[in-house]
Amino acid sequence: MNLSPIISAFQIKGNVISIDTIASGYINTTYKVNTSETSYILQKINHTIFKKVDALTENIIRITAHLKSKVGNEDKDNTLQVIYTKTNVGYHKDTQGYFWRMFNFIPKSKTIEVLESKEQAYTLGESFSKYHLQLLDLPAPKLTEIIPDFHNTPTRIQHFKEAIAKNAVNRLKNVKEEVDYMLELSSQMHEIVDLGNQSKIPLRNIHQDTKLSNILFDEQNNPLCIIDLDTTSSGYLAYDFADAVRTGMNTATEGEKDISKVSLNFSLFTSFAKGYAVNSKSFITPEEVNTLVLGVKIITYEQAIRFLGDYLNGDIYYRTEYADENLVRTRVQIAFLNNILDNFSKMNTFVKGLY
Ligand code: GN1
Ligand code: MG
């Protein structure tokens, strides 16, 4: 695809020299644009999923500006900034109706596929709790919820049941065992949303997609910047703590075909939790502390039924490269969930001891 007309809609510095495709992310399409002066991230927004592009853009402009206001001049280059179009708006709609946006590229940044050290895990925890801390005083109004009920696990269970009932592409016969197991566990997975509905835990500005690949590290593996802010809005803290554990403390990646490689790295988990406690201690409530490890169980389950539901629906949501990829992803989540269930009380005791 010729990206020149799209790139030239934005206020960029220098002439375009090269464009790289960035493969990570299952929803939007991402490119790195290198110019004679600097680099940018260009993204085609998947607007069948992110339908409210105006509100989405507004959210991200507000969040990035707020986070930038919190750092000193020396760190401004390491904060995410929206690059405006030449008509001074935060996205560009092309002639075919697709939506595009641009960010600064964070210099010398990389993502990590599998965490390698306790230090990395600790700083990961510190970074996500700092994100929560910094968004506590985001000026009103409330951020718009772009995908309603994003981490409403009971609603996710409902959608999963609909996918089973529909059996749209006749794949149910391949996954009877997984489906039965997920249905059997479903009654345990309402707890956090129930506590929220009873006003026992607060809604906060959370990221909602704290997977390991959504944080950029520098060459020495220090975290630089949290990215992929599309889903940041009101939610329960535990879901963010938990999604980082789900993705960062698994010894395998989400797409691993060899299930025997999946396990919880308990030692990384303890480092992550210690790091998370650093910035969260000042605001987290005792009831929220009690939900953190519960969240790990629930979000791993939720992700399993989201992948499995998409498999049953015929791979219409997540980007896939081959036929059974969503099933492979599901099995990784189920194996990880079993690890969490086995380690649950040990994890809980550890986390509660930190606060
Ligand atoms: C999607 O776009 P990406 O890859 O960051 C998904 C997350 C899932 C994740 C699983 C908007 O995130 O909720 O946890 O895949 N994002 C959306 O890897 O659905
Ligand atoms: Mg995302």
Side-chain angles (χ1 to χ4, degrees):
M1 151 164 221
N2 178 16
L3 295 173
S4 308
I6 290 150
I7 296 169
S8 64
F10 291 90
Q11 301 179 28
I12 61 165
K13 291 186 189 143
N15 305 313
V16 178
I17 291 175
S18 60
I19 301 169
D20 307 317
T21 301
I22 298 189
S24 87
Y26 299 162
I27 314 283
N28 295 319
T29 312
T30 308
Y31 303 91
K32 181 175 171 227
V33 177
N34 305 303
T35 77
S36 48
E37 289 191 33
T38 183
S39 296
Y40 298 94
I41 289 294
L42 176 71
Q43 278 191 317
K44 182 170 154 193
I45 303 170
N46 182 332
H47 70 274
T48 53
I49 291 178
F50 298 113
K51 294 190 175 72
K52 308 175 198 167
V53 178
D54 281 305
L56 172 69
T57 306
E58 179 65 23
N59 275 358
I60 294 182
I61 289 173
R62 288 178 54 206
I63 298 162
T64 50
H66 184 69
L67 296 177
K68 192 178 178 186
S69 75
K70 304 253 170 191
V71 302
N73 271 335
E74 65 289 358
D75 283 328
K76 298 256 192 246
D77 282 352
N78 292 333
T79 62
L80 201 62
Q81 293 307 308
V82 173
I83 306 294
Y84 286 81
T85 65
K86 289 175 179 160
T87 54
N88 265 317
V89 286
Y91 66 82
H92 168 69
K93 190 174 181 184
D94 72 14
T95 49
Q96 295 173 55
Y98 291 112
F99 296 89
W100 298 81
R101 67 179 172 202
M102 202 179 249
F103 297 104
N104 55 327
F105 176 79
I106 308 294
K108 298 189 178 149
S109 62
K110 60 167 189 186
T111 54
I112 295 179
E113 275 223 41
V114 176
L115 283 184
E116 288 136 20
S117 69
K118 296 188 85 155
E119 291 73 29
Q120 278 174 11
Y122 183 89
T123 51
L124 185 74
E126 243 182 352
S127 301
F128 283 128
S129 53
K130 186 168 158 201
Y131 188 77
H132 296 143
L133 181 65
Q134 292 187 325
L135 290 180
L136 284 179
D137 63 348
L138 181 78
K142 267 177 61 178
L143 293 165
T144 305
E145 196 179 17
I146 304 298
I147 305 180
D149 292 323
F150 194 65
H151 285 314
N152 184 332
T153 310
T155 306
R156 294 283 182 189
I157 293 171
Q158 195 48 45
H159 292 164
F160 176 58
K161 288 182 177 166
E162 284 160 19
I164 298 167
K166 205 167 171 197
N167 191 16
V169 290
N170 201 25
R171 281 174 164 178
L172 184 58
K173 58 183 186 318
N174 309 338
V175 289
K176 274 262 169 232
E177 201 183 315
E178 288 83 358
V179 164
D180 287 346
Y181 185 41
M182 292 297 97
L183 290 177
E184 186 190 309
L185 291 176
S186 64
S187 62
Q188 309 178 25
M189 305 297 169
H190 291 226
E191 221 172 315
I192 293 181
V193 170
D194 288 349
L195 288 170
N197 289 340
Q198 296 155 16
S199 302
K200 291 188 175 148
I201 50 171
L203 284 167
R204 299 184 184 279
N205 291 319
I206 64 158
H207 186 282
Q208 319 232 35
D209 189 9
T210 49
K211 64 185 200 186
L212 181 58
S213 55
N214 281 337
I215 182 156
L216 302 178
F217 291 84
D218 70 12
E219 285 158 343
Q220 288 74 44
N221 294 330
N222 303 306
L224 284 175
C225 177
I226 292 171
I227 56 167
D228 197 0
L229 313 182
D230 292 322
T231 44
T232 295
S233 60
S234 293
Y236 304 116
L237 212 54
Y239 280 92
D240 271 6
F241 174 90
D243 214 23
V245 176
R246 181 186 72 76
T247 53
M249 276 107 254
N250 187 342
T251 49
T253 61
E254 270 183 344
E256 177 58 58
K257 290 180 183 159
D258 178 357
I259 288 300
S260 70
K261 290 191 179 158
V262 176
S263 68
L264 168 76
N265 185 326
F266 191 78
S267 134
L268 290 187
F269 169 74
T270 57
S271 300
F272 169 81
K274 280 185 206 159
Y276 189 80
V278 173
N279 295 310
S280 61
K281 258 189 183 155
S282 64
F283 64 85
I284 197 167
T285 68
E287 292 78 14
E288 283 178 301
V289 171
N290 290 338
T291 61
L292 294 178
V293 173
L294 190 58
V296 182
K297 174 178 96 174
I298 293 178
I299 205 159
T300 307
Y301 173 86
E302 183 185 287
Q303 193 61 59
I305 61 168
R306 288 178 68 193
F307 284 145
L308 188 53
D310 197 35
Y311 175 79
L312 291 170
N313 287 333
D315 309 321
I316 54 176
Y317 188 89
Y318 294 107
R319 192 191 340 269
T320 51
E321 306 284 330
Y322 60 91
D324 282 351
E325 191 164 7
N326 273 317
L327 181 54
V328 167
R329 290 170 179 159
T330 303
R331 288 182 173 146
V332 169
Q333 295 306 308
I334 293 179
F336 193 68
L337 175 61
N338 287 335
N339 257 267
I340 300 302
L341 294 173
D342 290 343
N343 286 284
F344 194 80
S345 39
K346 202 166 112 189
M347 291 166 81
N348 233 342
T349 308
F350 183 81
V351 169
K352 287 179 186 169
L354 293 172
Y355 291 91

